[in-house]
Amino acid sequence: MKVLIAGATGTIGRPLITQLIQAGYDVTGLTRSPQNANFLTQQGAKSEIIDIFDADAVHTTLSRIQPEVVIDLLTALPKNYTPESMSAATALDHRTRREGGANLQIAAQAAGVRRYILQSSAFWYAPGIGLADEETPFAFDSTPGIAAGTRMYADIEHRLLSANTLEGIVLRYGFFYGPGTWYASDGDMANMVRKQQFPIVGDGQGVWSWIHVEDAAAATVAAVERGKLGIYNIVDDRPLELRVWLSAYADWLDAKPPVQVSVADTPKTQGADAVYYATQLRGASNLKAKREINFQPRSLQWLDKTLAFNL
């Protein structure tokens, strides 16, 4: 079976390429640079260098390749994280997912693609009691950056799920960790924690849902093979309050404990979105993915058994 991945050399794309090839799929990756094209070739995949904003080129490429499945992992997030780099990348990231994703989906429909899998988010659900499932609305009434992000995700999900000619599957991933992510032991978030630049805001009661990148890739392969139409939360089994996971993360890194700052002071130093992340995020349930695609995520890497049993 031919599978085409847009965003093939990103955080999920790299382990996904390996897992799909190992499973026997004929994989083509779309990329923007010759360097990334060489990487794909070295991994055993085919590569196409393309500008995702060039609708005609996207259409021509998909018509020639004739994939049965398209996986849309398009992003334009910075390789290295700082609050400033994220802010600078937001406009292009949203354009890439909206405009670039629309070009890809239209070309997929014209090429007769059967199944289309889209990357979305499982960590911006509306606040409430208990874990959010796939029917829970996004946090549209939130701080400016998060509200803009939720509208973007809602729009691209609607674009896919309203396309009657495609088997549309939306995978809402949690926060990525593992090799090549910001939360790897050598990643930018780890460096911020070592410098005590990632504080616990207020009581740190915001609940985060995590997913190892290799588990995210495995869930994506499962969606290619047996996922039903609709939406799946792809997160691990134990969403955690920020004060819990961040303290454990610092300990895992052999770093000093994170400092604690007040809610009142944080908007002036880190912005309103930081307060939302720390105090209002709502964890997500993975029961649907476990039931329908046999999803089996690992436990969060930096939680030891003693801490896990005492949560």
Side-chain angles (χ1 to χ4, degrees):
M1 180 189 297
K2 291 183 179 180
V3 178
L4 182 141
I5 307 173
T9 58
T11 301
I12 317 171
R14 289 176 177 247
L16 178 59
I17 289 283
T18 299
Q19 292 186 28
L20 285 169
I21 290 174
Q22 289 175 345
Y25 290 98
D26 180 350
V27 181
T28 299
L30 303 186
T31 185
R32 291 171 288 189
S33 74
Q35 180 180 359
N36 286 338
N38 289 336
F39 169 82
L40 292 171
T41 302
Q42 291 168 5
Q43 300 307 303
K46 300 170 186 174
S47 64
E48 294 283 344
I49 300 173
I50 197 168
D51 177 359
I52 200 66
F53 299 121
D54 185 339
D56 290 339
V58 176
H59 176 84
T60 299
T61 299
L62 266 70
S63 296
R64 173 168 45 82
I65 296 172
Q66 290 288 298
E68 295 172 69
V69 177
V70 167
I71 303 174
D72 179 351
L73 304 177
L74 290 168
T75 67
L77 297 174
K79 181 177 178 60
N80 298 108
Y81 175 88
T82 65
E84 295 77 18
S85 68
M86 277 296 295
S87 178
T90 296
L92 178 59
D93 183 59
H94 285 201
R95 183 188 173 211
T96 298
R97 298 181 198 239
R98 288 179 185 273
E99 182 183 336
N103 289 341
L104 184 67
Q105 183 178 319
I106 291 169
Q109 290 174 266
V113 168
R114 175 177 60 85
R115 174 159 293 197
Y116 194 105
I117 297 171
L118 173 68
Q119 174 181 350
S120 187
S121 165
F123 46 82
W124 282 346
Y125 282 114
I129 298 172
L131 299 180
D133 63 20
E134 289 82 357
E135 301 300 319
T136 304
F138 283 139
F140 298 111
D141 185 17
S142 55
T143 53
I146 292 172
T150 57
R151 289 193 297 271
M152 181 271 294
Y153 280 119
D155 288 346
I156 64 175
E157 287 187 6
H158 176 74
R159 182 189 72 214
L160 174 59
L161 297 178
S162 62
N164 295 328
T165 59
L166 291 171
E167 297 176 1
I169 298 176
V170 173
L171 300 182
R172 292 176 176 169
Y173 302 105
F175 288 98
F176 295 126
Y177 74 98
T181 70
W182 296 331
Y183 289 92
S185 60
D186 59 351
D188 294 320
M189 290 299 188
N191 292 332
M192 289 180 65
V193 170
R194 290 187 179 99
K195 297 175 182 177
Q196 292 189 300
Q197 295 175 347
F198 195 142
I200 297 173
V201 178
D203 292 333
Q205 71 269 32
V207 179
W208 292 47
S209 285
W210 295 89
I211 187 66
H212 193 283
V213 285
E214 292 177 4
D215 293 340
T220 308
V221 175
V224 170
E225 296 173 343
R226 56 185 178 272
K228 298 179 182 179
L229 308 189
I231 301 169
Y232 293 93
N233 288 333
I234 305 301
V235 299
D236 68 13
D237 293 333
R238 193 186 292 273
L240 292 170
E241 293 181 337
L242 177 135
R243 61 182 173 82
V244 175
W245 75 256
L246 184 54
S247 297
Y249 184 51
D251 185 61
W252 178 68
L253 294 170
D254 292 324
K256 293 179 180 179
V259 299
Q260 191 161 10
V261 299
S262 72
V263 169
D265 290 339
T266 301
K268 293 177 287 187
T269 58
Q270 299 185 62
D273 289 342
V275 176
Y276 195 98
Y277 274 100
T279 64
Q280 296 188 63
L281 282 193
R282 181 177 181 179
S285 167
N286 64 12
L287 291 179
K288 181 180 178 183
K290 296 183 82 169
R291 182 177 65 249
E292 296 188 6
I293 62 173
N294 194 32
F295 177 52
Q296 299 294 329
R298 71 196 71 188
S299 298
L300 188 60
Q301 184 175 8
W302 53 83
L303 286 183
D304 62 28
K305 292 182 179 179
T306 300
L307 178 57
F309 288 142
N310 285 320
L311 291 177

